[in-house]
Amino acid sequence: MSTTLTGVLVAIGPGPGPAAGPSLADGTLGREVSAAPVVGPAAVPEGRAASAAVPPAKLARSLAATVSFQPLEFRLPSGATAPIKDSGLHPDGALVIPDDPATVGWWDGGALAGDAYGSVVIAGHVDSARYGLGVMAELKTLRTGQVVELRAGGRRMRYRVTSRRSVPQAELAARTDAFRQDIPPRLVLITCGGAFDPVRHRYQDNLIIYAAPVPS
């Protein structure tokens, strides 16, 4: 993974709240989570890969015929869907994640669906005291081999789940390459996971799902 780290922070978990520094203060909407450091846009020139890794030949041919697009809808194996919002950064460097867990965010510093390289990063809250259970809660039961889909109008890009892992929130950057761009194309789904600490008002981990493009 890239060894270049920045001060960018990401808050992924239950309930919206303003990020201030390395943690979130208690809010009025219920659960809050501490922010975890991640690889930020400064590690990837202009939000894209510094060098393109060549994918397998069959996939490369498929992607060559695909027009890259910004994903606008996310579909899970159950048939559940969620709108996708463009997610940039707050002034303090925190990743902007939609408050409503029925909506997810696409990190605009990463790859587009259909790009020949890089991580397409989709992140969202798992639940909220205000809105209830979110669409990303299904990630807890997502298994290797299942297919998820990104959409935008008539365009579609399918991804097959290849692996999953859970890491402590504070170690998201140090122990994963979730935001890396100089690699073959993939989809990275991130939400909160692990046990919820009612005293500290946050989940302990981040759940990360990795998926590879399915050649058309």
Side-chain angles (χ1 to χ4, degrees):
M1 62 177 289
S2 172
T3 57
T4 304
L5 301 180
T6 72
V8 177
L9 304 174
V10 58
I12 301 171
S23 64
L24 299 178
D26 291 342
T28 59
L29 299 182
R31 298 174 175 178
E32 302 280 353
V33 292
S34 292
V38 301
V39 176
V44 184
E46 299 182 355
R48 293 291 181 263
S51 61
V54 179
K58 183 178 180 180
L59 177 58
R61 289 193 297 270
S62 175
L63 291 174
T66 301
V67 177
S68 300
F69 63 91
Q70 178 178 333
L72 300 178
E73 186 180 57
F74 174 50
R75 186 179 187 277
L76 286 158
S78 67
T81 61
I84 301 174
K85 289 186 176 180
D86 186 339
S87 292
L89 300 174
H90 288 293
D92 63 2
L95 181 64
V96 178
I97 296 176
D99 289 349
D100 188 344
T103 300
V104 297
W106 165 73
W107 178 48
D108 62 11
L112 298 167
D115 274 355
Y117 54 86
S119 301
V120 182
V121 181
I122 303 293
H125 297 299
V126 71
D127 63 10
S128 163
R130 179 180 181 182
Y131 296 102
L133 196 64
V135 68
M136 298 297 264
E138 188 174 328
L139 266 58
K140 294 183 179 180
T141 59
L142 208 57
R143 295 291 178 261
T144 300
Q146 290 186 294
V147 173
V148 299
E149 189 174 73
L150 299 180
R151 302 173 174 179
R155 290 169 291 184
R156 303 284 189 272
M157 193 72 203
R158 300 168 70 236
Y159 296 84
R160 192 178 307 280
V161 175
T162 57
S163 63
R164 54 184 291 133
R165 66 180 303 187
S166 183
V167 297
Q169 286 186 3
E171 300 178 23
L172 181 61
R175 293 179 55 182
T176 79
D177 63 352
F179 289 77
R180 186 171 173 175
Q181 298 300 312
D182 59 340
I183 55 174
R186 67 180 182 181
L187 173 65
V188 180
L189 307 174
I190 308 176
T191 192
C192 59
F196 179 74
D197 187 334
V199 176
R200 302 177 70 189
H201 299 282
R202 65 184 182 188
Y203 284 103
Q204 296 178 356
D205 302 329
N206 279 133
L207 173 62
I208 308 169
I209 303 290
Y210 297 95
V214 177
S216 58

